[in-house]
Amino acid sequence: MIMTTIHSNLQTVRQRIATACSAVGRDPAGVRLLAVSKTFPAEAIREAHAAGQTAFGENYVQEGIAKIEALRDLRDRLEWHCIGPLQSNKTRAVAEHFDWVHGVDRLKIAQRLSEQRPGGLPPLQVCLQVNVDAGANKSGVPPEEALPLARAVAALPRLRLCGLMAIPEPAPDFETQRGLFLRAAAVLDRLRSAGLAVDTLSLGMSADLEAAVAAGSTMVRVGTAIFGGRPGAGNADSR
Ligand SMILES: *Cc1c(COP(=O)(O)O)cnc(C)c1O
């Protein structure tokens, strides 16, 4: 059997997750791999799916929908996550096409998603983005405002609040990075103590997934380590 690059990259990433889990005594089954396919063609996603990958993340709504359409034949077997910052003029497209949204940080956006989620589809699964390092101009709800927002989002009929996502700035060392991720984990604990049924921590990317797993991540979002480098990566991603 010939193994493609994407196939062997996926194996390498799964192995990294397994190693990171065993370093902290976690069951690797508790960490899902989200393959971030932004900027890569539908055929690359097809290839990853042939290698056993089912969950895919896209940042740009129109680009993501074009791939969802191109891969219609696999729709029942793929799970599509919208992971980019979300503007209100894009909520309808997201509500109609995606299974998950990770970048929600305002009630108004959540309300629109709930109103616009088609009745024939299951509730849209949502992670609130929390801003754990108070970076200027960054998306995400401040940690101290996460609980009231989570309560309001959990009450919306067509959404299911699953947990939190965060994108801390890259830190120079493992312990600092883990410390930033732990702030998100602490917010999740607070939501749970308040009685919310949340279990998802969407934390970690290609460069820092080990620190995220050590901090309790249940879903790592990995692009480069699976699909390769993106043209202009670094600033093209921030939109
Ligand atoms: C691009 C992106 C990723 C994946 O980043 P890599 O460094 O390529 O693994 C994860 N999460 C978000 C929100 C992204 O925009």
Side-chain angles (χ1 to χ4, degrees), residues 9-24:
N9 286 348
L10 273 168
Q11 289 200 336
T12 303
V13 170
R14 290 184 192 127
Q15 188 55 53
R16 280 178 64 189
I17 294 169
T19 304
C21 282
S22 74
V24 292

Side-chain angles (χ1 to χ4, degrees), residues 31-191:
V31 182
R32 294 194 66 200
L33 173 58
L34 180 58
V36 177
S37 42
K38 65 183 174 206
T39 78
F40 290 94
E43 280 318 305
I45 296 170
R46 204 177 277 285
E47 205 175 309
H49 175 255
Q53 180 64 30
T54 56
F56 293 90
E58 291 282 341
N59 281 57
Y60 313 108
V61 175
Q62 292 314 321
E63 179 192 333
I65 290 173
K67 292 179 215 177
I68 293 171
E69 298 293 353
L71 297 165
R72 268 276 149 230
D73 57 308
L74 296 178
R75 186 65 188 89
D76 293 346
R77 278 174 277 167
L78 300 185
E79 191 179 87
W80 291 98
H81 296 238
C82 179
I83 61 173
L86 193 51
Q87 275 128 30
S88 39
N89 61 348
K90 300 281 173 61
T91 53
R92 182 177 298 281
V94 170
E96 290 178 351
H97 290 92
F98 284 83
D99 302 302
W100 283 72
V101 185
H102 293 229
V104 176
D105 61 2
R106 282 178 289 152
L107 183 57
K108 180 179 161 233
I109 295 285
Q111 284 167 333
R112 289 175 66 93
L113 288 168
S114 182
E115 283 160 17
Q116 294 166 344
R117 180 68 167 174
L121 295 178
L124 183 64
Q125 315 208 66
V126 171
C127 288
L128 301 182
Q129 186 173 351
V130 56
N131 181 352
V132 290
D133 48 8
N137 312 318
K138 276 190 54 174
S139 323
V141 61
E144 63 277 12
E145 291 168 28
L147 178 56
L149 177 61
R151 282 206 169 103
V153 171
L156 294 170
R158 301 291 299 135
L159 304 185
R160 187 161 89 74
L161 179 66
C162 296
L164 301 173
M165 82 91 93
I167 317 174
E169 291 298 319
D173 61 86
F174 181 92
E175 277 311 318
T176 309
Q177 196 76 56
R178 189 178 74 100
L180 292 170
F181 286 131
L182 280 170
R183 294 185 193 170
V187 177
L188 191 81
D189 283 345
R190 241 181 284 152
L191 304 190

Side-chain angles (χ1 to χ4, degrees), residues 209-226:
L209 72 86
E210 284 84 2
V213 167
S217 172
T218 67
M219 197 183 288
V220 292
R221 308 177 310 269
V222 178
T224 310
I226 296 171

